[in-house]
Amino acid sequence: MLGFPLAAVAFSLVIFVIDAFVNIHIAIAVLYVGVVLLSLNFCERTGILAVTFGCISLAVLALVIQHGFDPSKEALARLLFSVVAITITGLLIARISSTTETLRDQAELLDLTHDAIFVRNMNDVITYWNRGAEKLYGWTAQEALGKNSRYLTRTSLPAPYEQIRQQLFETGHWEGELVHYKRDGTNITVASRWSLQRDERGVPAAILESNTNIEDRKVAQEKLMHAQSELAHVVRVSTLGELTASIAHEVNQPLAAIVTSGEACLRWLANGTEHIDRVKLGLERIIQNGQRASDVVRRLRALAKKDDFKRADLDLNEIIEDTLPLVQREILRNRISLTLTLAPNMPLIQGDRIHLQQVIINLLVNAIQAMSDVAHDRRLVIETTVNDEAKAVVSVRDNGHGFAPDQQNRLFGAFFTTKTNGMGMGLSISRSIIDAHGGRIWASLNEDGGATFRFCIPTQTELVS
Amino acid sequence: MVARKTSASETPKMEPPVVLVVDDDASMREALNDLFGSVGLNTLLFDSAPALLQSKLPDAPSCLVLDIRLPGVSGLDFQSQLVSSNINIPVVMMTGHGDIPMTVRAMKAGAIDFLTKPFRDQDMLDAVAQAIDRDRKRREKDKEMADVRALYDQLTPREREIMALVTSGLMNKQVAAEVGLSEITVKIHRGHVMRKMAVRSLADLVRLAELLDLNPGKISRV
């Protein structure tokens, strides 16, 4: 780093010696311009101006040494010519220096952020790579510059690249989560923000990409999701506990039918072989009822299973029909008349079957319990529709005791319950489940008594459009 | 046998008994249909209590096999309804899981048996056979009662009066004094009563009077 000042001093000495002691009648002092130019490498604005002034002084001193205090007109003209040249160069260089300083300050600021920031041109070649990027990815700026960013980091995009580029050209921005590979071969998830830089003619010139490491956030989020599923499981199992009597009956009924059919078959057989058709009929019934019992057990096992959130294409109508048998008995026992209005051709939604079943069971059990103090004509209406926003809506309507208007906002809060032995977790869990599906759950009071609980979930058709 | 029209009292024995099954579960109904069919019993199947009440029941010895948990009216309530509306079909109660209060209530209301599903076929068949037997006896008794009542209805008011007094243990002479007739007239009336009531001895007449729950005080009001 000492090279530039030394060179400048040596160069000025040489110029000064020739200028002061060799009589060659040319404007040798013009060469000080070189010294001023060299100063750009080691001086800032004021330094450059000082060097310029120094060079002018040396030129004047040399003139005095060679020509005394009465120089010829030609010598004065040569000096004037040199001084003008040095001054102009000095001023220009000083201005360039201050611009470079600003740029360098800005670059340092970019280096100070923890985010990884890099700029790539329209061919994805990296042209800037900040310290944050060095730290995050492990490649130094020197290693990264000139490389293709997508190959270097093996970027996995959440959408086709062409689609992202199109959005970038249209709006100038793009945001999303990316997976990048680091130098050590491990991958990280980053929240990425891209902004498009255009040149003065408005042609896209470069993309500034700023990436934040969200690996920790993601891990925390996953932990939270996991904790939520655990809690959902506990609530689910406790809800199933409330339904034990109903479910036991639901399994026992086909078993009783199997036993009776089996015994009837034996009796038909004991009567001789001429009633073989009755025996066949009985056996078919046994098989049917065996499957029926095992269906109930399968549903139950699925609900009791401890599982993390899984996404699949689901038909809400089918889920409701699959859930009803578990609460059917409870509906019958409480002498409730059930109306089921399922929208035909329900569009598919994305979600977790078990969790949605849990929400439906929860709403049904709440509705049944809300009607327990209604003397007669208990009505439960389950309806599915598709609303204007192409969202799938499930509504569960009862004519029970409803809730106080001031409870409306607290209904879905944790530990809020109107039941004497309730945990107050059902609706709270239901809400987090529906939230996780990108949907909404809400309750309203009916004009003619009772409450209606609804939830809506985005459908595939909505997502496509 | 006291009644003359013996054929009438024997007809019920020839009528095939019918088991009325009320269960909301179709497969259980079918299985019971199979079981009763295998021992030659006729069945009528109903999915609810109102369905049974709305249909015309057969005039034959029958019994009711009733699930305790029914949609709408429960089995126990239905049993009470039957008792209060004087329908005397014996009831065999079935339940998924019976608790003691339920059982007590059912048995107090006159259930023949209380079976927990799944039950042994023999238990069910025994209960049903017992129920049908009880119903058959009741029907026979009802029939005899109806026959006696029909005979009794043929008597004149005076003959009814005489019958009550005679069967209460009074001598002809005492009866005559009681009603203010001659002993001869009482004897003639008494002969008419014996003939119309189709009995040969006073003992038989006394039995019929007991059946009809006669006493002199009652008769005077007729």
Side-chain angles (χ1 to χ4, degrees), chain A residues 247-291:
Chain A
I247 293 165
H249 186 101
E250 213 50 52
V251 181
N252 194 44
Q253 200 71 3
L255 290 181
I258 287 171
V259 171
T260 307
S261 287
E263 286 166 338
C265 280
L266 284 178
R267 286 177 181 276
W268 284 112
L269 282 174
N271 292 349
T273 47
E274 68 264 38
H275 298 298
I276 204 79
D277 50 332
R278 296 293 300 256
V279 175
K280 204 177 141 211
L281 216 64
L283 288 175
E284 275 163 9
R285 270 189 209 123
I286 288 175
I287 293 166
Q288 218 174 24
N289 279 304
Q291 273 160 354

Side-chain angles (χ1 to χ4, degrees), chain B residues 54-74:
Chain B
Q54 278 156 23
S55 66
K56 195 181 169 296
L57 298 179
D59 184 20
S62 46
C63 91
L64 195 55
V65 174
L66 192 60
D67 189 276
I68 208 159
R69 286 186 179 221
L70 289 174
V73 186
S74 83

Side-chain angles (χ1 to χ4, degrees), chain A residues 92-218:
Chain A
L92 279 175
I93 293 290
R95 209 178 127 201
I96 288 170
S97 162
S98 66
T99 320
T100 334
E101 263 170 55
T102 321
L103 279 174
R104 199 166 54 221
D105 286 350
Q106 282 170 349
E108 269 170 15
L109 273 179
L110 285 179
D111 274 343
L112 279 177
T113 74
H114 294 291
D115 292 350
I117 297 170
F118 60 88
V119 178
R120 52 194 162 89
N121 68 15
M122 298 319 290
N123 296 320
D124 293 326
V125 173
I126 297 166
T127 57
Y128 174 77
W129 186 262
N130 82 340
R131 215 169 285 158
E134 288 182 339
K135 238 167 109 181
L136 182 65
Y137 295 109
W139 289 287
T140 64
Q142 272 149 330
E143 288 168 322
L145 293 178
K147 302 262 168 53
N148 182 308
S149 69
R150 288 178 67 205
Y151 292 129
L152 185 70
T153 58
R154 286 186 275 162
T155 311
S156 314
L157 299 163
Y161 188 54
E162 280 316 307
Q163 202 180 313
I164 294 176
R165 263 179 98 104
Q166 202 182 342
Q167 193 194 334
L168 194 63
F169 287 148
E170 278 166 13
T171 65
H173 286 284
W174 179 83
E175 278 190 36
E177 279 182 23
L178 306 176
V179 177
H180 278 153
Y181 280 85
K182 299 195 281 192
R183 188 183 193 166
D184 61 13
T186 56
N187 60 358
I188 45 162
T189 311
V190 294
S192 192
R193 284 180 300 280
W194 298 8
S195 50
L196 186 66
Q197 323 270 299
R198 291 175 189 273
D199 64 14
E200 56 272 24
R201 284 165 296 155
V203 179
I207 298 163
L208 179 89
E209 184 172 333
S210 161
N211 296 329
T212 316
N213 185 357
I214 56 165
E215 202 60 38
D216 292 346
R217 200 198 303 169
K218 244 185 127 61

Side-chain angles (χ1 to χ4, degrees), chain A residues 381-384 393-397 452-455:
Chain A
V381 183
I382 305 172
E383 198 178 12
T384 58
V393 185
V394 175
S395 71
V396 175
R397 181 193 171 96
T452 303
F453 283 77
R454 292 187 179 82
F455 66 83

Side-chain angles (χ1 to χ4, degrees), chain A residues 1 200 229 236 299 304 307-309 354 367 378 397 399 422 426 452:
Chain A
M1 278 281 98
E200 56 272 24
S229 332
R236 201 156 63 225
R299 284 197 192 97
D307 225 341
D308 274 355
F309 195 88
I354 300 301
R378 299 171 179 168
R397 181 193 171 96
N399 62 344
T452 303

Side-chain angles (χ1 to χ4, degrees), chain A residues 245 249 252-257 259-261 263-264 267-268 271 278 281-282 285 289 292 329 332-333 335, chain B residues 23-25 27-28 30-35 37-39 69 71-72 74 77 96 117-122 125:
Chain A
H249 186 101
N252 194 44
Q253 200 71 3
L255 290 181
V259 171
T260 307
S261 287
E263 286 166 338
R267 286 177 181 276
W268 284 112
N271 292 349
R278 296 293 300 256
L281 216 64
R285 270 189 209 123
N289 279 304
R292 196 178 129 201
R329 196 31 63 176
L332 284 177
R333 200 167 64 82
R335 294 173 211 174
Chain B
D23 195 315
D24 63 315
D25 192 279
S27 53
M28 199 61 220
E30 295 296 333
L32 285 169
N33 185 39
D34 268 359
L35 179 64
S38 71
V39 294
R69 286 186 179 221
S74 83
D77 293 343
K117 289 180 187 173
F119 38 78
R120 281 184 49 234
D121 57 345
Q122 198 56 56
L125 292 176

